[in-house]
Amino acid sequence: MRPAALLLATIAAVSSAAGQPYAGRVLVAVTAHADDFSLFAGGTIAKLIDEGYTGYVIRVTDDEKDGVATAAENSERNRREIYDAARILGIKEVFHLNVKNDEMDPISETELRGRLILLIRLLKPYTVFTFDPWSAYEENPDHLKMAKAVADACWTAQIDLFHPEQLRAGLAPHYCPELFYWSRGPHVANKAVDISRTIDRKLEAVRAHRGMIRDPQIVVDLREANRRLGALHTMGYAEIFHHVGLAAPGSYVDRNAVPVRQP
Amino acid sequence: MKRLALLLVPALLAAKTLVVVSPHGDDWAIYAGGAISKMADEGWETYLVRVTNDEKHSQGLTTEETRLRARREVEAAAKLAGIREVIHLNYKDGELDPLPETELRARLITVFRTLRPEALMTSDPWTRYDDNFDHVKVARAVEDAAWTGGNNKFHPEMDRAGLRPFSVRQRYYWSAGLRWVNQRVDISAALERKKRVLAALPMFTAFRPHRLARAGDAAEEFHETTGSGIQQQYVAWYVEQQASGKAWAAPSARALHFTPAADKGRVLAIVAPHADDWSILAGGTVARMTGAGWTVYLIRATNDEKDSYGLRLGAAETILRNTRELDDAARIAGIREVISLNMKNDELDPVSHTETRERLILLFRLLKPDALMSYDPWQLYERNPDHVHVAKAAAEAAWAAGVAHYHPEHAAAGLKPHTVGERYYFARGPSEINLASDISSTLDRKLRMILAHKTMMQSTANKLGDQLRIAGLRLPLMEKEGGRFWVRMVQIFDRERAARIGASHGLKYAEQFHYQSE
């Protein structure tokens, strides 16, 4: 099965090789709805892409209930506008799982995990962005259901006994070394990212979701939120995450692992 | 819905409306009875939505009698609290797991669109260490219905029937568990009335009476919210958290030191999803307990068919090896018997919670353990869904095994109700730690237990090797040790873990738990 995908024109990044320490690395943002990744991680995603990452977005639901028109029209408009936001942030390609918006409860997590494992094995991300599956007071069940499947898929994709039929189809097992969880509610926040150089592009991307971001005040509030988060960490603007790395900070692997090649 | 339609007659006074959604007939009274009475006195029109039929909330009555009595008691108590009407959704008590959240949400949206309340009150959807999972299940549907009810894309057929979209902004969440409390309501003036309300629920209050521990307090605690928003509330929370220096879900500052009572004949049941979990996180404590005279049984839920990474073994051979090696580890720990439930490893999502719970209830009634040891069902950042599924089923089975209404067919097999009173929860992620166990005397034995899981430890080492390679890293020790790396890995990693935990409790080597008893 080939996932439906549309190749986007990549932005010609005018940066020197020295400014792109992460050339060759891949990031995948798994977003429940078209606008989530821009709202909560757009600044960090644009920054990493500036620094050499290739970025992809996996949009899980069809967003049929977010908009003022019929379900089909909302779905189509939100699908179209994610490409505008993706282009602004420098995302290379967007994948759509087309799961029914706001009705994810009866969906099998094993099935959703299987679809995500396939894309992880295809795209081979180093870094994955998604909602924090453990965030509290998160009122949208799509966010949590999807995020739990992502967290699960990121480690199970490495194990050949999960979905061996995908290996038969030519895919290889893959492990995602790091995860960034964004959140709307209390969680264990342990990483702040300075997005001062990308805040304007982030907000431009947010505005591009015109069908979903119908109230211009949202963009004003978001700039203020990122400014306040930045002020706490002596940064101009910041996004905050729960970060999961390959090894726990301070552990033996964390202290003793060394790069294969010096950068 | 006929009775609801009558309520659409506009009130003469613009009174405010409160809808209380209670999973069971008594939750609202225990945790919010004072605040609800107070609001009714202040002129709020109050409605109670009772979600389940409470058929298991009694001791010594039949299921049918329990249902009838529960309904009568709730109606009487509601009247005393000034509640105008009780709406009974009549879901099966204690068996909400297979209920699609979207179904419950739809029924609640109907209620909200009909009554159009200014505020709602329910159980906290984000509580932790509340071992009745009906509460969270109901509360999450309530929270979801509160905002989706305002969108006409949800249930357009209701719109057609005249129920216009409506979202409930103001929400108050009660709970006995650990959560974010930001509202304390002084109920001293309503306390006598609350006592009368509770007295009208005699069947309920006799059931698991420890829930009433704080019912006499002069204040009730709530989490108040108007919804998640984009990120404004999050930022406010984060700023406050940074200012206080207190991390979300941070473990308790001080843990009690654990000394296993040398009661011969005391019984521990370990419920573990996989063969190795218990030895890595609690093996030193298990060895202390067997040494002190405890009889220990190990209930292992899955077949571990996927844990042999890089060893080129099929699923059947993997199951055989992991099972045989578990027997070796259990022997070193002094465990009397290993019982494998043989559930499919890493594919528990479609398995019914109620079914897993039933299997554990049966074993608890058979083995009569004094204590349960398992993963913490409330730990955060646990990426293995097997751990969460099994822990939740075990936590609920521990008390439900003591209630005859759960699986009365067990009685026919000669099994009597039995409550597992003590619970020791271990965790990999953030958990509310309140117990430390000194394992300085058993650490070496613990390391031998872990090393007995040869296949799983080789699998872990092989996985780590590939993870490092994918991340562009290498570990010099791995290259030096080659095929023996997995042994050094266990010796170094697990000794370091015990030392790190020990250091946080003033001990040389330790394991840590969240402990509960009833």
Side-chain angles (χ1 to χ4, degrees):
Chain A
M1 186 193 73
R2 257 187 79 86
L6 182 70
L7 205 65
L8 288 170
T10 47
I11 289 180
V14 194
S15 338
S16 64
Q20 293 209 312
Y22 300 124
R25 274 198 191 173
V26 172
L27 72 83
V28 171
V30 189
T31 191
H33 310 114
D35 56 349
D36 299 322
F37 77 106
S38 312
L39 285 164
F40 304 116
T44 305
I45 290 169
K47 179 181 176 157
L48 290 181
I49 291 172
D50 283 352
E51 291 171 357
Y53 267 87
T54 303
Y56 298 94
V57 169
I58 300 170
R59 170 179 169 240
V60 175
T61 79
D62 63 7
D63 292 305
E64 65 170 25
K65 295 186 186 68
D66 199 348
V68 293
T70 64
E73 285 164 327
N74 289 339
S75 200
E76 173 53 20
R77 178 173 187 179
N78 296 333
R79 176 189 164 92
R80 223 179 321 111
E81 288 172 354
I82 196 176
Y83 287 99
D84 298 334
R87 200 173 297 117
I88 293 161
L89 298 176
I91 299 286
K92 189 175 175 189
E93 203 173 332
V94 182
F95 298 83
H96 306 271
L97 298 188
N98 201 30
V99 164
K100 196 164 176 73
N101 183 206
D102 292 311
E103 294 180 32
M104 289 186 69
D105 181 56
I107 291 171
S108 140
E109 201 231 274
T110 317
E111 176 200 331
L112 188 55
R113 179 180 73 184
R115 299 180 71 185
L116 291 165
I117 289 176
L118 185 138
L119 287 172
I120 288 167
R121 287 173 174 174
L122 180 74
L123 302 172
K124 301 192 181 305
Y126 184 95
T127 304
V128 172
F129 288 86
T130 196
F131 270 101
D132 189 327
W134 302 100
S135 110
Y137 301 96
E138 164 55 82
E139 67 185 0
N140 191 317
D142 283 1
H143 296 171
L144 295 178
K145 173 103 185 188
M146 172 219 66
K148 288 208 170 147
V150 175
D152 193 7
C154 281
W155 69 269
T156 53
Q158 188 196 349
I159 300 171
D160 49 0
L161 293 173
F162 286 79
H163 296 282
E165 70 283 7
Q166 294 177 0
L167 307 183
R168 177 65 186 76
L171 294 165
H174 179 75
Y175 173 79
C176 314
E178 68 172 359
L179 282 146
F180 284 78
Y181 295 141
W182 70 69
S183 180
R184 299 201 297 173
H187 69 151
V188 182
N190 57 10
K191 198 174 192 76
V193 179
D194 187 341
I195 58 160
S196 305
R197 292 174 66 174
T198 52
I199 178 74
D200 291 333
R201 248 187 294 156
K202 166 184 174 160
L203 297 179
E204 198 192 329
V206 169
R207 269 191 298 267
H209 303 283
R210 291 179 301 277
M212 300 175 92
I213 309 296
R214 299 183 290 277
D215 178 0
Q217 189 61 33
I218 290 173
V219 180
V220 176
D221 289 347
L222 194 57
R223 177 184 287 278
E224 175 59 11
N226 289 135
R227 192 198 59 75
R228 283 186 74 190
L229 293 173
L232 286 168
H233 297 281
T234 60
M235 297 170 182
Y237 291 89
E239 286 168 345
I240 309 289
F241 301 94
H242 176 82
H243 179 263
V244 184
L246 187 153
S251 65
Y252 180 86
V253 173
D254 183 48
R255 299 193 316 271
N256 293 286
V258 290
V260 173
R261 269 169 287 136
Q262 295 302 320
Chain B
M1 285 300 106
K2 202 171 140 220
R3 300 183 63 196
L4 274 177
L6 292 173
L7 303 165
L8 288 168
V9 179
L12 290 174
L13 293 166
K16 285 188 170 180
T17 301
L18 169 72
V19 170
V20 179
V21 184
S22 191
H24 308 111
D26 58 345
D27 302 317
W28 64 277
I30 297 172
Y31 305 114
I36 291 167
S37 304
K38 203 175 155 183
M39 287 172 84
D41 283 347
E42 287 166 4
W44 286 72
E45 265 181 23
T46 305
Y47 299 89
L48 174 65
V49 180
R50 171 176 165 241
V51 177
T52 73
N53 61 9
D54 297 306
E55 66 176 27
K56 297 184 179 71
H57 277 66
S58 71
Q59 302 275 24
L61 298 175
T62 67
T63 304
E64 292 74 13
E65 283 167 340
T66 309
R67 270 194 230 163
L68 285 170
R69 256 187 85 168
R71 189 184 167 109
R72 273 200 304 272
E73 288 188 8
V74 174
E75 292 277 359
K79 193 167 282 173
L80 281 172
I83 289 169
R84 218 175 156 139
E85 184 182 346
V86 185
I87 298 157
H88 305 270
L89 298 188
N90 199 30
Y91 280 105
K92 199 165 178 71
D93 183 22
E95 295 177 33
L96 293 185
D97 182 61
L99 168 69
E101 199 241 287
T102 37
E103 178 194 322
L104 183 52
R105 181 179 71 183
R107 300 186 68 185
L108 292 165
I109 288 176
T110 308
V111 173
F112 295 156
R113 286 182 180 177
T114 306
L115 298 174
R116 312 184 87 73
E118 274 76 15
L120 71 78
M121 218 181 251
T122 192
S123 195
D124 193 323
W126 305 99
T127 190
R128 298 166 69 209
Y129 301 103
D130 174 348
D131 59 13
N132 189 318
F133 291 95
D134 281 2
H135 297 166
V136 166
K137 176 98 186 187
V138 168
R140 294 210 178 169
V142 174
E143 182 173 67
D144 195 13
W147 69 272
T148 57
N151 183 339
N152 62 0
K153 298 293 173 302
F154 291 81
H155 300 286
E157 71 283 6
M158 290 184 196
D159 215 356
R160 178 65 186 74
L163 295 175
R164 309 294 300 163
F166 184 80
S167 58
V168 193
R169 271 186 65 75
Q170 205 68 26
R171 308 167 204 164
Y172 298 91
Y173 300 145
W174 71 68
S175 172
L178 183 73
R179 70 229 176 81
W180 180 10
V181 170
N182 56 11
Q183 269 295 335
R184 298 187 105 241
V185 178
D186 179 359
I187 58 152
S188 35
L191 198 54
E192 282 310 310
R193 188 144 160 217
K194 178 176 178 175
K195 282 180 186 160
R196 287 203 303 279
V197 169
L198 286 170
L201 296 162
M203 184 186 73
F204 285 98
T205 49
F207 179 80
R208 299 189 83 201
H210 67 278
R211 293 168 309 146
L212 296 165
R214 294 188 55 196
D217 288 6
E220 285 169 347
E221 293 179 333
F222 297 92
H223 176 81
E224 181 190 8
T225 179
T226 53
S228 300
I230 297 286
Q231 242 182 346
Q232 297 90 323
Q233 299 209 3
Y234 169 76
V235 172
W237 163 80
Y238 186 75
V239 169
E240 195 180 298
Q241 193 210 24
Q242 292 285 306
S244 72
K246 233 184 101 189
W248 174 250
S252 312
R254 271 197 75 73
L256 291 168
H257 288 199
F258 167 64
T259 315
D263 279 345
K264 254 210 150 28
R266 295 202 85 202
V267 177
L268 171 72
I270 307 170
V271 178
H274 309 119
D276 58 346
D277 309 304
W278 63 278
S279 58
I280 295 168
L281 294 164
T285 305
V286 173
R288 282 183 69 195
M289 291 170 91
T290 54
W294 287 65
T295 301
V296 179
Y297 296 96
L298 173 62
I299 302 164
R300 169 216 189 193
T302 80
N303 61 8
D304 292 302
E305 65 172 30
K306 295 190 183 68
D307 204 349
S308 60
Y309 188 84
L311 296 173
R312 298 177 183 281
L313 300 175
E317 178 67 14
T318 305
I319 296 169
L320 273 176
R321 287 202 194 186
N322 286 335
T323 306
R324 210 179 303 131
E325 290 163 5
L326 169 59
D327 288 337
D328 295 339
R331 204 170 304 119
I332 297 166
I335 289 171
R336 174 169 295 181
E337 189 181 346
V338 177
I339 300 158
S340 288
L341 300 185
N342 198 29
M343 292 159 74
K344 197 164 175 73
N345 184 205
D346 292 311
E347 293 179 32
L348 295 189
D349 179 56
V351 176
S352 133
H353 165 80
T354 319
E355 179 197 332
T356 306
R357 186 181 67 188
E358 187 275 335
R359 300 179 72 181
L360 294 172
I361 288 175
L362 185 132
L363 287 172
F364 291 163
R365 288 174 176 170
L366 180 73
L367 304 172
K368 299 186 175 36
D370 299 285
L372 158 71
M373 184 182 274
S374 97
Y375 267 109
D376 186 333
W378 306 100
Q379 65 172 316
L380 305 177
Y381 298 99
E382 174 52 68
R383 280 169 73 183
N384 191 318
D386 285 2
H387 296 180
V388 181
H389 175 96
V390 175
K392 285 191 171 168
E396 218 171 43
W399 64 264
V403 180
H405 294 299
Y406 287 81
H407 303 285
E409 68 277 18
H410 292 172
L415 297 170
K416 290 194 174 61
H418 173 84
T419 304
V420 187
E422 290 186 273
R423 292 128 210 192
Y424 297 86
Y425 295 140
F426 50 76
R428 303 198 293 182
S431 156
E432 180 75 6
I433 298 300
N434 56 12
L435 197 68
S437 167
D438 185 343
I439 59 160
S440 307
S441 64
T442 51
L443 179 66
D444 288 336
R445 240 167 103 198
K446 170 178 177 165
L447 295 181
R448 280 198 288 127
M449 284 173 218
I450 302 172
L451 286 168
H453 302 289
K454 188 178 168 190
T455 305
M456 295 177 107
M457 291 308 116
Q458 286 181 323
S459 172
T460 304
N462 292 344
K463 261 185 270 183
L464 177 62
D466 277 352
Q467 289 167 3
L468 290 163
R469 184 179 50 72
I470 288 165
L473 299 168
R474 60 186 192 85
L475 199 57
L477 182 72
M478 195 180 274
E479 288 159 9
K480 183 167 154 257
E481 298 285 338
R484 293 289 293 167
F485 169 72
W486 68 276
V487 178
R488 297 283 292 135
M489 176 189 80
V490 170
Q491 288 165 344
I492 295 171
F493 291 17
D494 290 282
R495 187 178 293 273
E496 279 195 3
R497 184 203 311 272
R500 192 173 60 245
I501 294 170
S504 67
H505 302 295
L507 297 166
K508 189 165 184 222
Y509 295 114
E511 287 165 348
Q512 58 187 7
F513 301 90
H514 174 80
Y515 174 82
Q516 284 182 341
S517 67
E518 75 172 74

